[in-house]
Amino acid sequence: MIVFNFKEIISKTIEDLKTQNKRVGFVPTMGALHSGHLALVSKSLKENDIVVVSVFVNPTQFDKNEDLKKYPRTLNRDIKLLKTLSKSNIVVYAPSVKDIYGENIEAINFDFDGLENGMEGKFRKGHFDGVGTVVKRLLEIVQPHNAYFGEKDFQQLQIIKKLVEKYKLPLNVIGCEIYREESGLALSSRNERLSLEQKKAAPAIYKTLKKAKEKFANQSVNKVTKWVVAAFANQKLLQLEYFIIADVKTLKEINRKSSKKAYRAFIAVYAGEIRLIDNIALN
Ligand code: AMP
């Protein structure tokens, strides 16, 4: 498995592969890979000849420096895991901050038509400017036919689709469903930092989402939201940051539902200082 550290070299290599009519898939990650990431890579391997996996902890998308510092970095383990899927059809791009940003570690200011304003964009200031900056740069370097993103970060997935549309980037953005542990907990690199007790408590997040979905069928948005808030008030180890029901297309929070529209519930919860997010389709 080849591991590239420099953008010029990986760009040239991919360009050569494309002249040989190879289809190129791309899975951007921040590393500390788990089965959720591997599910994206497996899908990409089925649909392309070569899959590029980037491993880059992007400094401009963290609003808290402490979170950036504590983000797990396990490149050797990540490479071993990827080798279990394919030794010859995956290439890794693990650039330095300098390779991506040069001397100017700054995010571009984007307008994603309002998709960026709620939820993660509201509670993590500047987050989607950072995500947009790095994904745009990575897409320009890799120039894949297909890029894969998880619905675990549903707002991010919609924003990337908007980015690709706005900048007319020639690729398909493919969303992949959320990969969960047996307990229902959505896999996340942050789960590694949970204590045993927190790990036991965390499946309540998805359980509550599933129950909220059931209730949404015949209860008002307000009633469902109140029920979720009350459910978390009883959780000693989990603090609810937000629970929001939003229109899938605009990602705007709703107060009243219409039978013609599709909705999703979004949640962010703290277990100690570890922030976990999840979401579920409601109808
Ligand atoms: P990250 O390394 O957390 O930035 O994630 C890289 C990609 O993997 C993003 O597109 C995420 O949405 C996706 N991803 C992370 N966890 C999961 C999961 N549990 N299920 C599906 N996709 C995921």
Side-chain angles (χ1 to χ4, degrees):
M1 179 175 292
I2 311 177
V3 180
F4 293 91
N5 300 118
F6 299 105
K7 55 178 182 281
E8 288 83 5
I9 305 179
I10 191 164
S11 286
K12 176 77 179 69
T13 307
I14 295 168
E15 218 180 287
D16 291 348
L17 286 165
K18 284 167 83 177
T19 58
Q20 297 162 35
N21 281 328
K22 303 278 189 206
R23 284 196 75 75
V24 177
F26 180 37
V27 182
T29 81
M30 297 208 297
L33 300 186
H34 51 64
S35 310
H37 296 115
L38 297 188
L40 266 66
V41 178
S42 295
K43 184 169 165 68
S44 181
L45 277 167
K46 280 197 197 110
E47 298 174 2
N48 301 277
D49 300 307
I50 292 287
V51 176
V52 179
V53 179
S54 63
V55 175
F56 179 64
V57 182
N58 173 34
T60 63
Q61 73 186 69
F62 287 83
D63 57 340
K64 293 190 185 123
N65 206 29
E66 201 53 23
D67 199 22
L68 168 64
K69 269 203 281 186
K70 285 197 177 148
Y71 203 87
R73 289 158 169 89
T74 57
L75 183 60
N76 288 335
R77 206 185 101 207
D78 294 345
I79 292 169
K80 267 195 203 144
L81 278 173
L82 291 171
K83 278 185 183 163
T84 64
L85 297 183
S86 168
K87 287 200 176 74
S88 51
N89 295 338
I90 299 176
V91 301
V92 173
Y93 175 41
S96 63
V97 171
K98 195 169 178 191
D99 198 54
I100 296 292
Y101 285 99
E103 301 302 334
N104 193 19
I105 308 174
E106 265 177 32
I108 303 166
N109 225 291
F110 288 99
D111 172 4
F112 295 119
D113 295 347
L115 292 175
E116 73 277 31
N117 292 338
M119 304 181 294
E120 294 305 280
K122 178 171 168 194
F123 286 90
R124 301 178 70 188
K125 286 286 170 226
H127 175 65
F128 287 121
D129 280 341
V131 169
T133 303
V134 77
V135 171
K136 182 167 178 285
R137 211 152 284 184
L138 288 168
L139 291 174
E140 286 160 358
I141 293 166
V142 176
Q143 302 207 15
H145 296 97
N146 300 308
Y148 297 78
F149 294 85
E151 290 185 347
K152 159 91 181 353
D153 302 282
F154 192 86
Q155 189 177 12
Q156 167 175 284
L157 168 63
Q158 301 304 85
I159 282 174
I160 303 300
K161 284 183 180 164
K162 181 66 75 180
L163 174 90
V164 165
E165 178 195 312
K166 281 207 160 181
Y167 287 87
K168 299 190 172 57
L169 303 177
L171 68 128
N172 305 305
V173 175
I174 295 161
C176 308
E177 60 185 47
I178 303 175
Y179 195 95
R180 301 180 180 282
E181 288 184 356
E182 240 172 77
S183 69
L185 177 65
L187 264 72
S188 162
S189 306
R190 290 192 164 92
N191 295 357
E192 285 183 25
R193 291 169 54 203
L194 296 172
S195 70
L196 229 93
E197 291 284 280
Q198 288 168 332
K199 193 106 209 260
K200 271 193 210 150
I205 301 169
Y206 184 53
K207 278 198 192 111
T208 310
L209 281 183
K210 277 202 300 189
K211 199 90 197 168
K213 177 180 176 141
E214 262 175 55
K215 289 181 182 290
F216 185 76
N218 49 28
Q219 290 184 15
S220 70
V221 173
N222 190 23
K223 218 163 167 198
V224 176
T225 306
K226 277 195 173 144
W227 177 80
V228 171
V229 171
F232 276 96
N234 292 327
Q235 288 282 345
K236 283 202 191 82
L237 297 177
L238 304 173
Q239 284 82 43
L240 181 66
E241 183 175 49
Y242 66 75
F243 171 83
I244 282 166
I245 296 177
D247 183 309
V248 171
K249 280 205 182 124
T250 61
L251 298 185
K252 284 210 170 76
E253 187 175 3
I254 60 148
N255 299 314
R256 197 169 294 169
K257 53 188 170 184
S258 139
S259 59
K260 293 188 196 86
K261 291 190 172 166
Y263 300 110
R264 227 170 159 100
F266 297 85
I267 195 165
V269 169
Y270 275 96
E273 55 184 27
I274 302 149
R275 192 167 177 279
L276 303 171
I277 59 168
D278 203 345
N279 66 83
I280 193 168
L282 292 177
N283 59 347

